[in-house]
Every structure is written in structure tokens, then in C-alpha cells.
Amino acid sequence: GTNNTDATFVTNMTNGASAGVVMGGYHFAHPETNSASSEASYFLSKAASYIKPCSLPPVLDLEDPSGGPSLTSSMSSSALTTWVQAWMSAVQTQTGITPILYTNGSIATYLGSSIKSTYKLWMAAPDGSSTTPPSNIGGWPNWAFKQYSFTGTCSGISGQVDLDVFNGDMTAFNTLIGCTTSVLPVANFTA
């Protein structure tokens, strides 16, 4: 949105980077209530200094609002696609780095084809498997990340965490984040 920032954002970004974790910011979208330009401006005011090579690209988190109607019932496909394109373009113009879209199969399918070959896709597909591809990527040519669990565990973090996997090898990952040297020794990443 335009008025909420995770209170631990700066601490997490700083400590994660110090621990050798590839970090990046994401923006939880509210296209049902705000303009894409106001949300992009707010996101950049908080995260722009963390958007750089060798970090995860910025991510637009597009999911149904809690307590409200679904995005697919409250916005036309064209309107939602235009909103996503406007946010992505604004962030890319300001940072020089192409954002990634995080969403589920239903919303990915609903979006127009004009963005499906431009932006990488991070699928919310919590089936518990880091090796099974997402079953619905909504017409995208491929997927870059899959969130396969909302309730995982990770050494050094208390409580449940999301678990994600990258669809590629270290060379592809380093290309995605704009690094010329390998930054992590493994191909599975958690966030």
C-alpha cells in the first residue's frame, strides 16, 4: 500500500546481508484502493537504497486483500494488468532493475498477456515440494521462483517462515540478480 512498512525491514535487510543472504524488498500491492504510481513511490521511498545488483530484484506481491473482494472480482483483467504494468514500469525506471511479480495461479491467469513475457514470475504454490513445478503458471512462459511452503522452518529464525526455490542453477541466479560472481553456494533459497 502507501502507509505500511514492516517495522523490521531495515534490521532484516542489514542483518541478512551481513549473514551472506541475498536480500531484496517486496511490495504488498493494494490496487483495489491505490494508484500504481502512489504505491511505487511509497515502495521506492522505503526500499530504493536496497535495490541494486547482487540483491534480489524488487518484487510486487499481488494477492487478494484480506477482508475484501478478490482482485479478479473487483477489477477487470485489463485494469489489473494496467495497474501491474504501471507499478513495474515506475520501479524499473527509477532503479534500472526489472521487478518480479509474486502471485498465485488464479491471478497470474487473469492478467493480460502484455506483461507475461516481460516480467519474471514468483509463484505462490504451497504444495510442500521444492522439486515439483507449480501446476498453474497462468500463461507465463516460465517461472523464476516458487513459494512451496508458508509454514517452514529455518535455522537461526524462530517461528514459521516461507520457503521458496529458484528455478535454475547458480549461473542463472547470478544473472537474475546482476552478479558476475557466485554469491551463494546452494541452489535452493529460503525467504
Side-chain angles (χ1 to χ4, degrees):
T2 58
N3 61 7
N4 186 28
T5 302
D6 181 349
T8 62
F9 177 71
V10 172
T11 300
N12 289 342
M13 292 297 284
T14 302
N15 292 345
S18 293
V21 177
V22 176
M23 302 296 290
Y26 77 92
H27 177 77
F28 191 94
H30 284 284
E32 76 284 2
T33 57
N34 302 311
S35 71
S37 63
S38 65
E39 290 208 12
S41 292
Y42 183 77
F43 173 70
L44 290 167
S45 76
K46 304 299 180 185
S49 64
Y50 300 99
I51 301 170
K52 56 191 173 202
C54 298
S55 296
L56 286 174
V59 177
L60 178 63
D61 182 340
L62 188 64
E63 54 189 272
D64 290 331
S66 61
S70 70
L71 292 175
T72 58
S73 67
S74 63
M75 296 179 78
S76 70
S77 173
S78 175
L80 188 57
T81 301
T82 298
W83 194 100
V84 169
Q85 179 65 63
W87 190 95
M88 301 291 239
S89 294
V91 170
Q92 185 172 357
T93 297
Q94 291 298 311
T95 65
I97 296 177
T98 305
I100 296 172
L101 178 65
Y102 168 90
T103 196
N104 62 36
S106 175
I107 294 173
T109 300
Y110 192 68
L111 292 169
S113 62
S114 60
I115 63 172
K116 294 181 181 184
S117 60
T118 305
Y119 301 105
K120 298 209 180 293
L121 185 62
W122 192 324
M123 289 301 302
D127 61 5
S129 173
S130 65
T131 58
T132 303
S135 60
N136 176 10
I137 60 172
W140 252 260
N142 209 340
W143 57 278
F145 293 93
K146 173 188 168 188
Q147 181 179 12
Y148 63 91
S149 177
F150 298 130
T151 59
T153 59
C154 182
S155 179
I157 300 175
S158 60
Q160 295 179 333
V161 297
D162 297 342
L163 298 176
D164 304 270
V165 63
F166 175 68
N167 184 22
D169 61 17
M170 282 306 303
T171 300
F173 181 75
N174 286 311
T175 298
L176 174 76
I177 64 171
C179 270
T180 57
T181 59
S182 182
V183 294
L184 290 175
V186 296
N188 287 337
F189 309 101
T190 60

